[in-house]
Amino acid sequence: MAHHGTPSGRDTVAREIQRPHWWVFGSNGFVGGGIVAELRGRGVEPARARALRLTTAARDTAGVVADAEASASLADLAPRIPAGAVVVNAAGLAAPDSADDDALYGANALWPSVLALACAEAGAARLVHLSSAAVQGYRPVLDESWDVSPFSPYSRSKALGEAALRALQPRLPEGMLSIVRATSVQGAGRRTTTSFARVASSPLASVAGTGDAPSPVSSLPALSQFVVDVGLRRPDQTVLLQPWEGLSVRGALAAAGGREPARVPAWLCRAAVRTGFAVSKVAGESLHGPVRRAEVMWFGQAQESGWAEANGVLPTPRAEQVLRQAAPGSGEG
């Protein structure tokens, strides 16, 4: 049964959520830093905290939950979180090409569960956990369901983090947890953005067919705006997908590369992707990340309109601006 109370009571939490105390874990990272900047732009100075460095050998939901319940870190972490706080977990290992190791699963699966239990014990008003749309892998259309199809150690670790939080949810205060699945977030200083701009300005820049397919490329400012807006509300669902920013695959490459990409027959791109994944499978999935990035560059990935659009919580699209700033020769790229 869901626990509805907090140490301060429902009325106190309701008042505090109007002007909450914000805690951002992972504030020194790319996404966490963007969220801190968004909060400061709204006149809020959040508490900034580092995630605990945890490891786990668990690769299933029950194992992660058991490790979280037994974690010695709970006793130290819970007293640090104020009752009524809005907690954002932007910590984790954002390493799409990472090997399958205990540190990866500790950061992306165990840590969110430990933090959730600590937030429940402390009486936090909200916990917004940053996940990744990569958990839905090859799906042609991203959505806000619990259905996942991870394809790499990184995406599996993020999917396991979601599954563990789902298992723990009945023990959390009602409405406390939101999981935001970020798409392909770009921004100044991010290595993947620099790499994308380099490819976009090279002869490798290409799209399948006309290139009108929607691109999941998004911007850090829009994600940060969305996360803060989610933290200030109590959505009637747990999983929320970062809204699409309106770019096609051709538009994303043109913005980042300063030139129109080549158009390649779709059948040839599909054949290349199939071959790439076959080779990667033989090599222990070591090439899954690069092959998947090529697939998304060519075909993009659509997403269903979700909670944000239905509730008027759409962030300002800034992906095209961010990519143009990253383009070689822009002065910032």
Side-chain angles (χ1 to χ4, degrees):
M1 178 178 294
H3 170 63
H4 297 286
T6 69
S8 301
R10 282 173 81 76
D11 293 340
T12 301
V13 169
R15 288 195 299 271
E16 289 180 346
I17 194 67
Q18 296 173 18
R19 293 194 302 178
H21 186 78
W22 287 76
W23 272 58
V24 180
F25 284 88
S27 57
N28 291 332
F30 173 71
V31 172
I35 294 168
V36 168
E38 173 69 21
L39 285 166
R40 286 175 173 168
R42 301 192 191 197
V44 176
E45 184 60 40
R48 305 174 64 180
R50 292 180 180 271
L52 302 177
R53 292 181 179 273
L54 305 176
T55 61
T56 179
R59 297 294 186 269
D60 59 39
T61 302
V64 171
V65 170
D67 282 358
E69 292 170 332
S71 175
S73 303
L74 274 174
D76 295 328
L77 184 59
R80 296 168 52 197
I81 300 172
V86 176
V87 180
V88 178
N89 179 39
L93 287 181
D97 297 326
S98 176
D100 187 310
D101 60 41
D102 291 354
L104 179 70
Y105 282 84
N108 293 342
L110 178 58
W111 161 248
S113 297
V114 171
L115 180 59
L117 290 174
C119 285
E121 184 176 331
R126 301 280 284 116
L127 170 61
V128 183
H129 168 64
L130 269 294
S131 186
S132 170
V135 299
Q136 292 198 315
Y138 311 117
R139 289 173 59 121
V141 181
L142 300 171
D143 64 23
E144 295 178 332
S145 72
W146 286 104
D147 294 337
V148 297
S149 52
F151 63 97
S152 64
Y154 168 74
S155 60
R156 290 187 194 108
S157 70
K158 297 297 282 188
L160 184 55
E162 287 190 8
L165 288 173
R166 186 183 187 184
L168 288 170
Q169 194 167 20
R171 297 167 52 182
L172 308 180
E174 185 177 6
M176 186 186 84
L177 176 65
S178 290
I179 297 173
V180 173
R181 287 179 181 158
T183 53
S184 181
V185 185
Q186 309 299 325
R190 190 168 211 190
R191 190 175 305 166
T192 55
T193 303
T194 302
S195 299
F196 184 75
R198 188 180 299 121
V199 170
S201 61
S202 77
L204 294 174
S206 52
V207 294
T210 61
D212 294 329
S215 170
V217 166
S218 58
S219 65
L220 177 61
L223 174 62
S224 301
Q225 180 185 343
F226 183 56
V227 167
V228 174
D229 286 342
V230 168
L232 291 170
R233 291 165 171 80
R234 287 186 182 273
D236 55 3
Q237 63 189 64
T238 302
V239 176
L240 307 167
L241 180 62
Q242 180 185 0
W244 182 47
E245 294 194 42
L247 283 178
S248 66
V249 290
R250 186 181 68 251
L253 285 169
R259 55 195 283 273
E260 282 291 314
R263 298 185 181 186
V264 180
W267 66 265
L268 184 58
C269 294
R270 290 193 184 95
V273 169
R274 284 196 299 269
T275 301
F277 279 125
V279 172
S280 180
K281 189 173 183 179
V282 173
E285 299 185 344
S286 60
L287 300 176
H288 269 39
V291 175
R292 177 58 182 157
R293 286 193 287 274
E295 183 179 26
V296 172
M297 179 181 73
W298 285 330
F299 294 101
Q301 194 168 26
Q303 55 189 90
E304 291 183 357
S305 59
W307 176 86
E309 185 171 344
N311 290 274
V313 194
L314 290 172
T316 304
R318 280 168 278 191
E320 184 173 3
Q321 175 188 349
V322 165
L323 292 178
R324 289 191 185 281
Q325 291 171 345
S330 68
E332 299 182 47

